Amino acid sequence: MMIKIKEVYESVCKLRKDPIRSKQTLFRNDHCDCTIGQIAEAFKPNGFLCSLTVSVGTYLLGQKYKNSDKMVVPYNCSRQIFERNLNSRLVRNIFSVDAPERLDHKKVILFGTFDPPDPCAPHVPGHFCVVALNLEKERFELLDSLRDINDPDGKKLLHTMASGIKKLWSLAGNSKGDHFHPKSIDHFKLHYVNSPRQATAHDCGFFMLQILDSYDGESMCLFSQKDILNIRMTMLYSWLTGGDFNIDLKDVLGVDPEVNFLVLYTFHAGPSLGIEEDNFSLFETQSFTPEVQIIPEENFDSLVSKTNKIIQRLHSNTRKSSSKKVPDTALKGKADVVLLDEDDDSDDFVTQLGKKLTAKPITKDVRRCSPTSSDDFETQKPKQSSAKNLVLSNKRPTKLSNKFREEVPNFVPYVFPHLSKAKQMMELILSKEYIKAHGSVPLVKFSNPFDDPVFIDAKYMYKLFGRCEMLESDMMDRIINYWKDDPGMKYIFESGSRVLMSPHTIPYLLDFAPFKLRDSKGNPLPRRPFDVKSAANMFKHYVRPNENLLKAKLIIIPHFMHEHHSVYVMNKYTGTLDILDTRRYTGLAHTSRSRHHEDRVEIINRMVALLKQVYGVAEFNKYNGNIQWDVVADRCSYPKTPAQGANECGFYALRICATYGGDKIADNIKNQDRRVEDWKAEYMYQLLFHPKNEILAEEWPSMLKDLMLLIGLGSQITQQSLGSA
């Protein structure tokens, strides 16, 4: 039988009542020591993470992000700093210039912190949250799922942690005179980062661990209270199967050694978990850039606590909701927020998991703020986005007049009419028999006025469309040209509201290379200044006479950077820069989505400068009004996109270019969609029968022509292109 994540979760939680096995050690090393019973009590629905279980989580996250530009500090170190025990060996080892991983070499350092109960109200539990030392932004940050910027307990906790970290930072040094850079961080101000909100009193530990895992100093996963049950399940499974503690699930669960276990990807490895319940694929592309507010300086010791009242209210709501009788339902896919009765120790997890939590979430009138040049913030009223289906950054775009917030028209995607024939042709061309017999016979030839002609044979086709192969930008450009000339796709572009640019627009027209320039020693070099006049002279080679970029509502630009394709859309319907990226960055140690697209502002600035040069400043202002594209690019939006498979970014990018309507992708593309093989066949077909292909079908090998006769394409063999026919 197959052991799935839910079944592993249920089996472990049941072990808390086993008097013998619950006392067996499950996780033990220098940083943590935890038994099966403690894990089961913490992870069961409505369970509360304790210091012992949190220590396991922070250790595993520390190992996950080892040797990256992000560091998750062990929980015990954070606790020592909060308790002002700054001379402990663990703390001094971490804050040492001789440490294996120096803190000043990181961009963000995360501290999972526990605010203990108030001595005046010991019956109210404490609270977990995250304190971040953001060296890249030069600030301290509080990421709290319960308390807002005005909560005095949050301010006091952040102040306590920041003062301890500042002192440790300044004392770091050795006998050789080495010290951290910068030598002092006393000028770092305190900031509040708006984080996902919890709706219960017992889930703060899981919110904290999820933030520690996904926050990179700029953005994080967009999750909510309704995801917590699945987070508990997937997190427990990843702890047990991660390999850091060499745990044998057979021994833990006490199952038959002959059971065949299903090898699964954990949540952190990507969206596909390999289980029947599709909704276990958490968050998909739902990540966001949180709003950041500066915390005013004040006397933190004089602040009056109000966190206890919040937690007490949540406890009260929880008791009321758990006392209501709810019909038993089976768990299907991603469950709503669920709760077990506090005194109920039943093992019937399927029944218990059906009880929905009706406790109201914490509703605070949190003021939205916008940054100014002085890093202070101005109060703004909350505004509703006009793009309902976009997952937008919490950084607010500049306010636009109503005429720029237009209704997005309904978009109908193009349906390729020759799919079955194209799939048969692709299957033959990529087969071993055909490649062995005719692998070097050219099928496609494109002349290039500036370079040698491009020949595509079956071997080259395999490099473009074979399994786990990546589509090249040059071939994407040819396919886009085919679309613009195809009568069947004419309706997509004839209105002028959509302009699809070449994949070469950013690297060549805007002179923005798809890689970082470095000197002989590997140090980054600044990019050369943008020659807008030279780009204006080349503009006619990239934009057709019937395409007016100023009148277009969507300017769609394929983007290739660091061996990955994505799509940038200058969206005048919503007044946003939409970045559609199908890669999943959660769990990638050396990059993140925000870092991958960190040059977006410079790219859009160059595009705006080019449009002003070509069309004139007056015309540009006439059609763009008060859209400040540099600000919009900085506060970009990330619409919901499907997750790609290995090296499939080019195929997904092309599909998005053809189906994105301004508010959503019109085609119902799924994560790691099996239709990617259909797209490959379609794109190969469009290269083979491209109007500018100089090799006629009658010159192709007889094996391929025989197939064409068989599938009803014999009359087209003498045609230059099926598209024109």
Side-chain angles (χ1 to χ4, degrees):
M1 66 176 181
M2 296 297 185
I3 302 297
K4 292 181 280 190
I5 287 180
K6 180 169 70 68
E7 295 169 351
V8 171
Y9 174 78
E10 293 174 3
S11 300
V12 172
C13 289
K14 291 176 183 178
L15 293 177
R16 72 189 189 280
K17 296 198 306 180
D18 189 316
I20 298 177
R21 303 188 62 212
S22 63
K23 298 179 180 179
Q24 294 179 359
T25 300
L26 187 60
F27 301 103
R28 174 178 287 174
N29 60 19
D30 294 338
H31 298 276
C32 52
D33 188 352
C34 206
T35 65
I36 293 177
Q38 291 165 339
I39 290 292
E41 286 291 342
F43 276 86
K44 70 177 184 180
N46 87 326
F48 192 102
L49 286 176
C50 64
S51 298
L52 295 174
T53 48
V54 165
S55 297
V56 179
T58 55
Y59 168 75
L60 291 173
L61 291 175
Q63 295 299 111
K64 177 180 179 180
Y65 294 104
K66 193 174 182 179
N67 298 323
S68 70
D69 53 11
K70 165 183 172 178
M71 181 176 184
V72 178
V73 174
Y75 169 73
N76 289 333
C77 177
S78 303
R79 181 174 58 84
Q80 299 280 8
I81 296 174
F82 181 79
E83 296 175 355
R84 308 299 291 177
N85 186 11
L86 305 183
N87 290 320
S88 75
R89 180 176 298 179
L90 174 62
V91 174
R92 299 306 293 267
N93 286 342
I94 292 176
F95 281 83
S96 170
V97 295
D98 299 319
E101 290 192 87
R102 284 180 49 139
L103 298 185
D104 58 339
H105 293 172
K106 307 293 181 181
K107 290 186 177 180
V108 61
I109 305 163
L110 303 176
F111 301 82
T113 310
F114 181 69
D115 196 3
D118 192 325
C120 299
H123 61 285
V124 179
H127 176 61
F128 285 106
C129 58
V130 176
V131 171
L133 172 56
N134 196 327
L135 294 173
E136 188 174 31
K137 304 290 186 181
E138 296 190 350
R139 64 194 184 202
F140 287 94
E141 299 169 340
L142 175 66
L143 298 94
D144 197 313
S145 59
L146 180 66
R147 304 180 288 208
D148 61 26
I149 187 174
N150 298 313
D151 192 288
D153 289 318
K155 294 180 182 179
K156 289 175 66 175
L157 179 141
L158 180 58
H159 173 72
T160 300
M161 291 293 295
S163 60
I165 294 170
K166 288 178 180 178
K167 185 174 182 180
L168 289 167
W169 190 277
S170 62
L171 293 175
N174 58 20
S175 58
K176 299 179 182 179
D178 193 9
H179 55 78
F180 284 157
H181 301 281
K183 189 173 183 179
S184 173
I185 56 174
D186 291 345
H187 61 286
F188 284 18
K189 293 185 178 181
L190 308 184
H191 289 68
Y192 175 83
V193 178
N194 192 19
S195 308
R197 313 300 288 175
Q198 68 184 83
T200 66
H202 51 262
D203 289 320
C204 57
F206 292 97
F207 273 83
M208 179 194 72
L209 290 177
Q210 195 60 43
I211 292 171
L212 287 174
D213 189 13
S214 64
Y215 186 58
D216 61 3
E218 184 168 346
S219 63
M220 73 178 79
C221 278
L222 179 60
F223 64 99
S224 65
Q225 181 69 56
K226 68 180 182 179
D227 300 309
I228 287 299
L229 176 61
N230 286 337
I231 289 176
R232 288 175 182 262
M233 293 182 180
T234 53
M235 187 179 293
L236 176 59
Y237 189 87
S238 67
W239 286 16
L240 294 172
T241 60
D244 294 274
F245 289 91
N246 297 320
I247 295 173
D248 189 342
L249 275 181
K250 300 176 185 179
D251 294 337
V252 173
L253 302 180
V255 298
D256 187 342
E258 299 300 323
V259 170
N260 294 320
F261 282 86
L262 179 63
V263 179
L264 303 177
Y265 289 107
T266 65
F267 162 69
H268 302 293
S272 177
L273 293 171
I275 57 180
E276 295 176 0
E277 293 85 347
D278 292 336
N279 285 333
F280 270 81
S281 178
L282 297 182
F283 315 133
E284 298 181 352
T285 62
Q286 302 176 20
S287 59
F288 73 111
T289 304
E291 178 186 6
V292 181
Q293 300 167 262
I294 192 169
I295 299 178
E297 296 183 4
E298 53 188 306
N299 184 3
F300 292 96
D301 295 330
S302 64
L303 296 175
V304 180
S305 173
K306 64 178 181 179
T307 303
N308 292 333
K309 295 181 180 180
I310 299 175
I311 298 179
Q312 283 178 326
R313 187 178 79 244
L314 289 176
H315 267 300
S316 176
N317 290 339
T318 297
R319 293 191 189 97
K320 291 178 182 178
S321 64
S322 61
S323 64
K324 296 180 180 179
K325 293 184 178 180
V326 182
D328 294 340
T329 55
L331 178 66
K332 293 183 179 180
K334 183 187 291 185
D336 294 298
V337 182
V338 297
L339 177 69
L340 289 181
D341 293 341
E342 300 229 0
D343 299 325
D344 191 348
D345 224 17
S346 170
D347 281 335
D348 188 1
F349 273 86
V350 174
T351 299
Q352 291 290 342
L353 292 178
K355 297 184 180 180
K356 295 184 180 180
L357 175 65
T358 58
K360 294 181 180 180
I362 307 169
T363 55
K364 291 278 184 182
D365 183 17
V366 181
R367 296 179 297 173
R368 296 191 179 276
C369 302
S370 61
T372 64
S373 58
S374 63
D375 201 28
D376 292 329
F377 287 80
E378 300 173 343
T379 302
Q380 293 183 344
K381 295 181 179 179
K383 294 180 283 188
Q384 297 294 330
S385 170
S386 64
K388 298 180 180 179
N389 294 318
L390 295 181
V391 180
L392 292 176
S393 162
N394 277 353
K395 293 181 178 179
R396 311 304 294 176
T398 51
K399 183 177 179 180
L400 305 178
S401 60
N402 290 332
K403 69 177 181 178
F404 292 110
R405 296 195 176 277
E406 304 176 21
E407 188 70 23
V408 180
N410 186 35
F411 180 73
V412 180
Y414 169 72
V415 179
F416 181 58
H418 310 294
L419 182 58
S420 61
K421 298 175 182 179
K423 290 176 71 173
Q424 294 181 67
M425 293 185 67
M426 183 180 75
E427 184 177 355
L428 174 63
I429 292 173
L430 301 184
S431 66
K432 293 182 180 179
E433 294 79 9
Y434 185 91
I435 293 178
K436 183 177 181 180
H438 308 289
S440 300
V441 178
L443 300 173
V444 179
K445 176 186 176 183
F446 293 122
S447 294
N448 189 335
F450 307 106
D451 205 347
D452 296 333
V454 176
F455 290 92
I456 305 177
D457 54 22
K459 294 180 180 179
Y460 195 176
M461 284 290 190
Y462 190 87
K463 292 181 179 180
L464 296 173
F465 300 101
R467 183 177 178 83
C468 296
E469 299 291 347
M470 182 184 292
L471 190 60
E472 297 175 358
S473 296
D474 190 48
M475 296 302 109
M476 292 174 65
D477 183 53
R478 305 287 182 178
I479 293 168
I480 290 173
N481 283 329
Y482 179 97
W483 292 352
K484 294 182 178 181
D485 293 327
D486 185 7
M489 301 186 72
K490 184 179 179 180
Y491 75 96
I492 297 178
F493 307 105
E494 64 181 351
S495 67
S497 61
R498 294 167 53 90
V499 174
L500 176 55
M501 303 292 290
S502 164
H504 298 318
T505 299
I506 293 176
Y508 296 115
L509 182 61
L510 300 183
D511 193 21
F512 206 91
F515 49 83
K516 295 287 187 181
L517 303 176
R518 299 184 181 276
D519 59 19
S520 59
K521 297 182 179 179
N523 300 317
L525 295 173
R527 295 184 182 272
R528 61 187 179 190
F530 179 47
D531 187 350
V532 66
K533 293 184 179 180
S534 176
N537 293 331
M538 296 189 296
F539 186 77
K540 61 183 178 181
H541 299 295
Y542 293 84
V543 179
R544 298 191 175 193
N546 63 330
E547 295 175 335
N548 189 318
L549 271 62
L550 294 186
K551 296 181 179 180
K553 302 299 183 183
L554 297 176
I555 303 176
I556 305 172
I557 312 173
H559 177 43
F560 182 73
M561 178 66 70
H562 299 309
E563 303 298 322
H564 176 63
H565 294 280
S566 57
V567 181
Y568 283 13
V569 181
M570 297 175 70
N571 191 337
K572 296 182 185 177
Y573 290 120
T574 57
T576 56
L577 172 67
D578 301 339
I579 298 180
L580 296 102
D581 192 338
T582 56
R583 176 191 275 174
R584 295 299 175 266
Y585 293 88
T586 302
L588 299 181
H590 300 289
T591 188
S592 65
R593 187 173 65 182
S594 59
R595 292 194 190 97
H596 183 81
H597 299 289
E598 62 185 357
D599 297 318
R600 60 187 183 272
V601 176
E602 176 62 22
I603 291 172
I604 296 303
N605 283 343
R606 294 189 179 197
M607 188 68 183
V608 169
L610 177 60
L611 294 178
K612 290 180 178 179
Q613 180 71 24
V614 172
Y615 295 101
V617 176
E619 283 293 300
F620 178 86
N621 293 335
K622 175 182 176 182
Y623 287 99
N624 283 273
N626 59 352
I627 299 181
Q628 301 179 33
W629 284 109
D630 56 338
V631 178
V632 167
D634 183 46
R635 305 171 184 180
C636 64
S637 67
Y638 293 97
K640 184 177 180 180
T641 55
Q644 67 181 64
N647 290 336
E648 293 174 351
C649 53
F651 304 106
Y652 275 80
L654 273 181
R655 195 65 184 173
I656 289 171
C657 287
T659 59
Y660 184 61
D663 59 343
K664 63 181 179 181
I665 300 172
D667 197 6
N668 185 24
I669 306 176
K670 299 180 180 179
N671 290 335
Q672 300 181 5
D673 202 315
R674 295 181 179 179
R675 291 180 298 166
V676 70
E677 296 301 320
D678 297 346
W679 307 338
K680 289 181 180 181
E682 175 184 345
Y683 303 151
M684 180 186 289
Y685 177 98
Q686 291 166 351
L687 288 177
L688 289 170
F689 298 106
H690 198 286
K692 295 185 179 180
N693 179 12
E694 299 177 13
I695 298 179
L696 300 178
E698 62 183 7
E699 302 175 31
W700 293 344
S702 58
M703 186 184 297
L704 183 56
K705 289 189 292 185
D706 291 343
L707 174 64
M708 294 176 63
L709 292 172
L710 186 63
I711 61 179
L713 295 178
S715 60
Q716 307 296 340
I717 291 179
T718 58
Q719 296 290 337
Q720 179 67 22
S721 82
L722 290 182
S724 60

